[in-house]
Amino acid sequence: MFESAELGHKIKKSAYDKEVPDLREALLDIQMELAKSGAFQVIILLGGLDGSGRGATANLLNEWMDPRHIQTHGMGEPSDEELDRPMMWRFWRALPPKGKIGIFLGSWYTWPILNRVKGITKDSDLNQSLERAVQLEKMLVDEGALVLKFWFHLSKEKQEKRFKELEKSSLAYGTTIKQDKKLLKEYDAFQAVHEKVIRYTSTAEAPWLVVEGVDARYRNLTVGKVILKAIQDRLRLENAPPPRILAPPLMPPIDNLHLLKTLDMTQEIDKQDYKVELEKLQGRLNDLTRDPKFKYMSVIAVFEGNDAAGKGGSIRRITGALDARSYQVIPIAAPTEEERAQPYLWRFWRHLPRKGRVTIFDRSWYGRVLVERVEGFCSEADWMRAYGEINEFEAQMARHRILVIKFWLTITKDEQLRRFEERQQIGFKRFKITDEDWRNREKWEQYEQAVCDMVDRTSTLNAPWTLVEANSKNFARVKILKTLCERVEGKLKELGAQGLDYLDPPKKSR
């Protein structure tokens, strides 16, 4: 793989000086066209060995183009805030919006590679990290991003020569030179892992381009020309008529069972029993979140359901049991302009809680397979692939000890009508009812089918759905609190069985 990058490519200074002005002008023009169109974002990964010119290339791209439309990220060792969340969180936060270019020096490949070379992880761990990287890049491309990956290669001899040149430089620091010499000793180990990574993750959606890193002029022109052509080609595609994308049909349940119609909607709880149970469960939840082991985990509670099913009231019964400093409620409405400029899951990734905290989503990432599907706000291909993306998103949370608890609150069509009419008659409840709520009733059956498909395809071992019969608000609230307590208690027992050595690993093991 790396043999083609050891051919000794060189470009004479006179030829380089002749080509650069035209290339710079073309890059600036295409960058302005991209910014004006806001059609997609460009994500550039610069990978390779130390001394191969990654930093110099990033600096040059900022010099050749308008740095106001470029976001460059060093992505060094993760901070405590980043370690408190799944690994991909820091990269989701750094993604450029549509119309911008993001350059990553160090990416979602860096730490899996370093940890494998240093023996902190096994081949199986590396394989899992690479699979997550492939899934992330496919999702980014499916969401419209242009992903360009460059790997700068140096032979062992050339890297040693580069380090010797640096050692003579007045800009070199003693600690840096010692690190460089150590890296040189690990060259073969890095090379073996690098080759595996590139072979595994060079996909049709986001292939790697291996570039010889010895000659700076060759490296600069190669990268600049590839970026220019890729953006030009993509902008031409954006201006072309969109192709028709066909998604495979959804398979109906084998037994043709309508999940929601199997629920007993007559379940109730006596008013006095409700008060007793509510107080007991709220106290239990409060105690669980104060357990010493709770600081090693976090909780995300997802609330979805029919309009007027009682999500807000249920959420208030949960927050009433918690310290206000330990939780956050995230209401999800139509995406803002900022959110529309990013991949769909971006606005949910950025709200993931730190350990020891609870985040409650009043509606969530399931909007894509519910309202966006039914109302036609996205294509069939978009909501079809969303099932897999959501499952992977929740699996990443589970791997980082985020307990995901999902509730679907369901009421009958007649009960919804009664609540709608009540809201219109009571002054302080009128804000809860809108014309859109009435329109949604006309698509009741379509929403029911979307819910059944959602539960069928996203109720996993990591994050199962709890269906809540909510015709009786009191019954629903007790069921939700009881489920929440049981799930948190189960996770705390699991953490206790693993022991503190497992719960508090060193940062490098990340």
Side-chain angles (χ1 to χ4, degrees):
M1 175 184 301
F2 293 117
E3 289 79 3
S4 60
E6 295 183 3
L7 298 177
H9 293 101
K10 287 187 178 182
I11 292 180
K12 292 182 178 180
K13 186 176 184 303
S14 57
Y16 180 77
D17 291 342
K18 185 177 179 181
E19 284 197 66
V20 164
D22 290 340
L23 178 58
R24 291 185 64 174
E25 183 179 356
L27 282 169
L28 270 172
D29 287 344
I30 204 66
Q31 185 188 21
M32 292 303 106
E33 187 177 345
L34 172 66
K36 184 178 179 181
S37 72
F40 56 93
Q41 58 267 84
V42 181
I43 298 169
I44 301 173
L45 307 188
L46 301 180
L49 292 165
D50 284 1
S52 59
R54 292 172 299 162
T57 301
N59 292 336
L60 193 71
L61 290 174
N62 277 275
E63 179 184 333
W64 281 0
M65 292 187 281
D66 189 336
R68 293 174 299 176
H69 299 291
I70 298 178
Q71 301 172 359
T72 303
H73 304 281
M75 309 309 286
E77 187 166 346
S79 66
D80 289 340
E81 182 186 23
E82 292 168 336
L83 284 167
D84 234 5
R85 294 175 171 89
M87 187 189 78
M88 290 299 183
W89 181 77
R90 64 195 305 233
F91 301 109
W92 275 92
R93 293 178 74 211
L95 290 177
K98 291 179 180 178
K100 304 286 187 180
I101 298 173
I103 299 175
F104 288 84
L105 283 161
S107 66
W108 36 89
Y109 295 105
T110 304
W111 290 99
I113 290 173
L114 285 172
N115 287 341
R116 182 66 197 103
V117 170
K118 296 181 181 302
I120 296 172
T121 56
K122 301 177 182 178
D123 278 339
S124 58
D125 299 314
L126 176 62
N127 291 341
Q128 291 177 14
S129 296
L130 298 185
E131 183 58 34
R132 289 194 288 273
V134 169
Q135 290 174 350
L136 170 65
E137 290 167 3
K138 185 179 187 307
M139 186 279 303
L140 291 174
V141 172
D142 286 341
E143 286 286 306
L146 174 62
V147 180
L148 303 175
K149 301 189 300 190
F150 298 93
W151 189 270
F152 297 154
H153 175 68
L154 282 178
S155 67
K156 191 172 185 178
E157 293 74 18
K158 293 293 193 300
Q159 188 185 47
E160 185 176 15
K161 182 179 179 182
R162 183 67 56 84
F163 287 162
K164 286 180 178 179
E165 291 172 354
L166 179 61
E167 193 171 6
K168 296 176 183 178
S169 170
S170 59
L171 299 176
Y173 294 94
T175 55
T176 303
I177 294 171
K178 288 180 181 179
Q179 290 171 359
D180 291 343
K181 289 181 178 179
K182 185 177 179 181
L183 286 172
L184 193 61
K185 292 179 181 179
E186 297 174 330
Y187 180 94
D188 293 335
F190 271 107
Q191 192 76 333
V193 175
H194 289 164
E195 182 152 345
K196 177 177 182 176
V197 168
I198 293 173
R199 288 190 186 280
Y200 193 96
T201 62
S202 193
T203 62
E205 292 85 7
W208 283 102
L209 176 65
V210 181
V211 180
E212 189 173 10
V214 176
D215 184 71
R217 291 189 286 267
Y218 169 79
R219 183 185 68 231
N220 297 339
L221 286 180
T222 299
V223 172
K225 288 177 180 179
V226 169
I227 292 172
L228 174 64
K229 186 176 187 304
I231 299 176
Q232 286 175 333
D233 291 347
R234 179 59 187 278
L235 283 172
R236 277 196 290 270
L237 282 176
E238 291 293 327
N239 295 326
R244 188 181 177 205
I245 302 175
L246 296 176
L250 282 170
M251 294 296 292
I254 295 174
D255 54 9
N256 203 29
L257 183 67
H258 192 300
L259 187 64
L260 296 181
K261 292 181 179 178
T262 66
L263 301 176
D264 180 4
M265 302 301 295
T266 64
Q267 297 181 82
E268 296 183 355
I269 185 171
D270 178 78
K271 188 174 182 180
Q272 188 59 39
D273 291 341
Y274 165 70
K275 291 181 179 179
V276 173
E277 281 294 303
L278 179 65
E279 183 176 355
K280 182 176 73 173
L281 290 169
Q282 285 182 322
R284 181 180 170 192
L285 180 60
N286 184 276
D287 288 342
L288 289 169
T289 57
R290 294 177 185 275
D291 187 291
K293 295 186 291 297
F294 191 78
K295 67 180 180 180
Y296 297 103
M297 61 176 283
S298 50
V299 174
I300 286 181
V302 173
F303 281 84
E304 295 282 359
N306 300 115
D307 294 331
K311 295 183 293 297
S314 297
I315 290 171
R316 285 195 294 275
R317 271 59 185 186
I318 293 173
T319 58
L322 302 175
D323 185 329
R325 296 167 295 181
S326 69
Y327 72 84
Q328 184 178 18
V329 179
I330 309 295
I332 299 298
T336 64
E337 288 297 323
E338 179 190 23
E339 291 166 343
R340 277 195 287 267
Q342 294 283 1
Y344 175 73
L345 288 174
W346 178 81
R347 62 177 175 150
F348 306 108
W349 266 101
R350 65 178 180 162
H351 289 303
L352 296 192
R354 299 190 70 163
K355 287 185 172 62
R357 294 184 59 83
V358 177
T359 295
I360 301 171
F361 282 89
D362 184 354
R363 300 204 182 276
S364 68
W365 42 93
Y366 285 96
R368 173 141 290 187
V369 297
L370 293 173
V371 64
E372 291 193 19
R373 165 185 170 172
V374 175
E375 302 298 336
F377 295 154
C378 67
S379 70
E380 184 179 2
D382 286 337
W383 62 258
M384 278 289 291
R385 64 179 168 81
Y387 295 120
E389 293 172 359
I390 287 169
N391 287 338
E392 171 58 21
F393 175 43
E394 292 175 352
Q396 290 194 48
M397 289 191 273
R399 279 192 293 270
H400 201 69
R401 297 199 290 271
I402 297 177
L403 180 61
V404 182
I405 308 173
K406 304 182 300 194
F407 299 102
W408 174 266
L409 279 67
T410 187
I411 56 177
T412 61
K413 197 172 183 179
D414 289 342
E415 175 63 18
Q416 187 188 62
L417 178 60
R418 187 192 69 78
R419 294 184 185 183
F420 277 11
E421 291 174 342
E422 180 185 66
R423 287 180 174 185
Q424 284 188 319
Q425 294 169 6
I426 300 176
F428 63 84
K429 288 189 176 183
R430 285 178 188 165
F431 76 96
K432 292 185 175 183
I433 187 76
T434 66
D435 291 340
E436 185 179 347
D437 294 330
W438 287 105
R439 284 195 301 270
N440 288 344
R441 278 180 60 83
E442 298 173 7
K443 298 180 179 179
W444 182 273
E445 288 75 19
Q446 291 171 260
Y447 274 104
E448 277 195 332
Q449 184 58 56
V451 172
C452 290
D453 291 337
M454 173 193 75
V455 174
D456 184 45
R457 289 164 173 79
T458 62
S459 195
T460 63
L461 289 175
N462 289 322
W465 278 100
T466 297
L467 302 181
V468 181
E469 304 86 344
N471 270 10
S472 166
K473 292 182 179 179
N474 290 348
F475 175 84
R477 291 165 183 170
V478 167
K479 182 172 181 176
I480 288 167
L481 276 165
K482 186 177 181 181
T483 302
L484 198 60
C485 289
E486 289 174 350
R487 292 288 308 281
V488 173
E489 193 169 35
K491 187 64 177 178
L492 289 172
K493 287 180 179 178
E494 178 188 323
L495 295 179
Q498 290 167 341
L500 289 179
D501 289 342
Y502 173 82
L503 296 179
D504 214 0
K507 289 184 181 180
K508 290 185 178 180
S509 68
R510 175 65 178 278

